[in-house]
Amino acid sequence: MESPNKNRHIYNNILETIGNTPIIRLNKLTKELGIECEVLVKCEFFNPSGSHKDRLALNLVATAEAEGKLKPGGTIIEATSGNTGLGLCLVATVKGYHAIMVAQPKTSQEKIDLIKGLGAEVVMGRSTSTNDPEGVLKIAEKLSKSIPNSFYTEQFSNPANPVTHIKSTGIEIYEQCGGKIDYFFMAAGTGGTISGTGKVLKEKNPDVKVIGCDPVGSIIGSSGTMYMPFRVEGVGRDVVPPNCDLSIMDDWVKFTDRDAFDTARKVMRLEGIMCGGSAGGVLWSALHYAVEKKLDKTKTILAFLPDTSRNYLTRFVNNEWLLGYGFINEEEYRHLAMESRFLPEEHYGDGLKLADITCPAIEAFPSDSTISKVWPSLKKQNIIIVKDNDASEYKGVLTDRDALAAISTKKVTFADPVSKIMVKDFYLLSKDLKLSTVEKILENKEYVLFETDSKLVKIARVVDIMNKLDTDVKGAAN
């Protein structure tokens, strides 16, 4: 079958393919919700590294080169949730620069692995807080001062950020839509894309409404509120970034993590559009707004989808992750598993719960405990759980493998606190899950953790389930 692309062209390198991403009309999703207006989506995951940040990366580097801030053989440094890092690494690879990316704790493993695959170094920061000395921003700043011939791109404050979208994205969208756009929906991370793109759209047509989409917990679209953590990556902040021009936005819509993840999965299933979690939040906001405002068929909405679901295969695309973090319940999980024929209709474990099996409790240590202090427990059970120093809230887990990797590479010493190397991205399952559900989860995990009624954290492995089934099945046979 002949390719529908009649405009055949050979590019000199991958950077020439950045931009000119397609705009696609939604059909099934809008029909299901009874939406009359036209809803279009700008699919930025068609960029080579999978997100709109390729546009930014290319312009940040080009501008630094033109201003003499980045010289041949130099090092590019950035604090990133992953997408800007991927774009910068792509540009660095083609142009011959070294790259060091400082990633935040909730950056998906897929993004980190891709950044490493492009030949860059990855340094993990503790948070995205502006004032945290171990946060991604402070670490990136320190690295840029200590490494000769390096350039810190500073995407949150670099004026080349919004200029990128004034020169390309805004004009591109307006021309693709033939000027027919009434509402533009986008989330803000650095704020550069929505500010630059929104500025152009408003200059072209003052009647265009720019609607910011912001996670519940972020203060960008809710000035005066207290910042609260959320799991959607790449958008929302604890401060309004310098590159976010709030005067461009006509209104804001707040979305929850579940709104974002549910919608991203739904548009994948109904429309075949594989977008990321923040894109799901933007799309939920656009659809919710269209229903709430009762927009008729004379109106056109465009929702900006920044990246691809392939960056989140171990996150919201993964059913076990959704279950572990409470975004779906066991019934919903089993429905998804049965639908994919991953679970049989009958199972010995259906009558048993996770709490019914005999398995060991793991020791809990305060986050300021030294690696030396917890090492005897790590040797015995291979894992510990870390809690607040003055509270019972669990903050992370640490395995013997994590400790070995950190000690052997001299990132920490035995005198350092476990908080430096603990894994924060973990979850505790409900003790009431059916064993058949747990068995499915253990197909791709070495263990699961759950909390008992007495507040002990226990670890369950395949062998523990086998021991329980062995006892019960033999007992029933006798």
Side-chain angles (χ1 to χ4, degrees):
M1 181 178 174
E2 188 177 13
S3 169
N5 182 10
K6 304 294 183 182
N7 185 26
R8 291 183 173 86
H9 183 76
I10 296 175
Y11 296 95
N12 293 313
N13 60 57
I14 193 67
L15 302 183
E16 291 185 357
T17 68
I18 294 173
N20 293 309
T21 55
I23 290 178
I24 298 171
R25 179 179 293 107
L26 295 187
N27 300 289
K28 294 179 181 178
L29 198 51
T30 48
K31 183 178 180 180
E32 182 181 281
L33 295 172
I35 293 173
E36 294 184 10
C37 70
E38 183 173 52
V39 179
L40 308 175
V41 290
K42 177 69 167 167
C43 298
E44 285 293 285
F45 47 82
F46 277 80
N47 282 304
S49 84
S51 89
H52 69 306
K53 294 292 189 176
D54 290 354
R55 299 175 186 264
L56 171 61
L58 187 60
N59 191 51
L60 288 177
V61 171
T63 302
E65 290 172 333
E67 295 175 350
K69 296 177 180 177
L70 185 59
K71 298 177 176 62
T75 299
I76 299 170
I77 299 171
E78 181 54 278
T80 175
S81 64
N83 284 332
T84 302
L86 278 170
L88 285 169
C89 292
L90 188 77
V91 176
T93 295
V94 174
K95 288 178 170 279
Y97 297 111
H98 181 54
I100 301 176
M101 297 297 123
V102 186
Q104 58 180 270
K106 67 178 181 180
T107 301
S108 72
Q109 191 61 45
E110 289 85 346
K111 292 178 185 174
I112 292 173
D113 289 342
L114 284 169
I115 288 172
K116 290 179 178 178
L118 284 165
E121 291 183 57
V122 176
V123 177
M124 297 304 297
R126 184 166 61 189
S127 71
T128 58
S129 175
T130 310
N131 300 315
D132 185 354
E134 296 298 322
V136 294
L137 299 174
K138 294 296 185 183
I139 291 175
E141 187 179 332
K142 288 177 189 174
L143 288 172
S144 67
K145 291 177 179 178
S146 64
I147 299 173
N149 192 20
S150 65
F151 175 65
Y152 176 21
T153 51
E154 296 186 88
Q155 60 172 322
F156 290 95
S157 58
N158 193 324
N161 183 341
V163 168
T164 299
H165 306 289
I166 291 172
K167 289 181 175 179
S168 68
T169 319
I171 296 170
E172 184 179 304
I173 288 173
Y174 188 81
E175 291 179 348
Q176 284 177 304
C177 293
K180 181 65 173 73
I181 174 172
D182 299 293
Y183 298 90
F184 175 66
F185 284 78
M186 187 183 171
T190 66
T193 310
I194 190 170
S195 299
T197 304
K199 177 180 173 64
V200 171
L201 293 177
K202 282 179 170 289
E203 286 175 351
K204 295 285 186 181
N205 178 5
D207 292 330
V208 171
K209 302 297 182 186
V210 177
I211 313 297
C213 313
D214 201 38
V216 170
S218 167
I219 71 165
I220 296 179
S222 311
S223 60
T225 61
M226 183 178 292
Y227 175 82
M228 297 290 288
F230 46 87
R231 296 211 165 268
V232 174
E233 294 181 34
V235 294
R237 289 293 305 282
D238 59 341
V239 295
V240 178
N243 274 327
C244 188
D245 183 356
L246 295 178
S247 69
I248 297 293
M249 276 60 87
D250 296 286
D251 201 358
W252 288 90
V253 178
K254 303 289 285 188
F255 61 85
T256 66
D257 284 332
R258 178 149 191 171
D259 294 333
F261 299 146
D262 283 353
T263 306
R265 287 170 65 101
K266 195 165 190 176
V267 74
M268 193 187 314
R269 288 195 168 207
L270 291 183
E271 306 278 359
I273 294 174
M274 296 184 286
C275 62
S278 65
V282 172
L283 189 51
W284 181 89
S285 300
L287 297 171
H288 177 77
Y289 193 91
V291 171
E292 185 182 64
K293 300 296 184 182
K294 299 179 181 178
L295 300 182
D296 61 31
K297 60 184 179 183
T298 66
K299 302 300 182 183
T300 297
I301 281 177
L302 188 137
F304 192 90
L305 310 186
D307 72 350
T308 172
S309 59
R310 289 174 178 165
N311 285 341
Y312 309 97
L313 297 181
T314 57
R315 298 296 176 93
F316 77 88
V317 180
N318 181 274
N319 295 333
E320 287 73 38
W321 188 89
L322 290 175
L323 176 66
Y325 282 107
F327 293 117
I328 57 175
N329 58 37
E330 184 175 14
E331 184 179 346
E332 290 169 317
Y333 173 82
R334 291 178 67 84
H335 173 74
L336 291 169
M338 287 289 288
E339 189 176 74
S340 302
R341 298 185 180 179
F342 287 144
L343 282 175
E345 292 183 5
E346 293 185 25
H347 196 287
Y348 275 116
D350 284 345
L352 298 170
K353 295 180 179 179
L354 184 53
D356 293 329
I357 67 174
T358 301
C359 54
I362 61 175
E363 290 191 68
F365 289 87
S367 59
D368 61 358
S369 302
T370 63
I371 298 170
S372 178
K373 181 177 181 179
V374 305
W375 182 239
S377 293
L378 281 177
K379 284 195 294 184
K380 183 171 63 176
Q381 289 189 309
N382 310 115
I383 187 172
I384 63 165
I385 193 157
V386 183
K387 60 182 181 181
D388 271 340
N389 293 327
D390 301 317
S392 58
E393 181 183 356
Y394 298 116
K395 305 299 289 185
V397 295
L398 180 66
T399 67
D400 54 351
R401 291 181 182 179
D402 298 325
L404 173 62
I407 293 285
S408 63
T409 55
K410 300 183 179 181
K411 291 180 179 177
V412 295
T413 68
F414 278 95
D416 282 314
V418 293
S419 59
K420 274 197 167 185
I421 57 172
M422 67 183 181
V423 176
K424 297 179 181 179
D425 189 17
F426 79 103
Y427 52 78
L428 301 178
L429 293 177
S430 166
K431 63 181 175 54
D432 295 320
L433 288 183
K434 293 179 180 179
L435 278 195
S436 55
T437 302
V438 179
E439 179 188 328
K440 174 66 184 73
I441 296 171
L442 285 171
E443 287 180 8
N444 299 305
K445 293 176 70 70
E446 291 185 34
Y447 61 85
V448 296
L449 302 175
F450 67 99
E451 190 173 35
T452 67
D453 288 332
S454 57
K455 300 301 180 183
L456 289 174
V457 175
K458 289 193 170 186
I459 182 169
R461 296 183 170 93
V462 168
V463 64
D464 301 310
I465 296 179
M466 282 295 292
N467 286 338
K468 178 63 177 174
L469 294 181
D470 179 50
T471 301
D472 285 24
V473 172
K474 284 181 178 177
N478 294 331

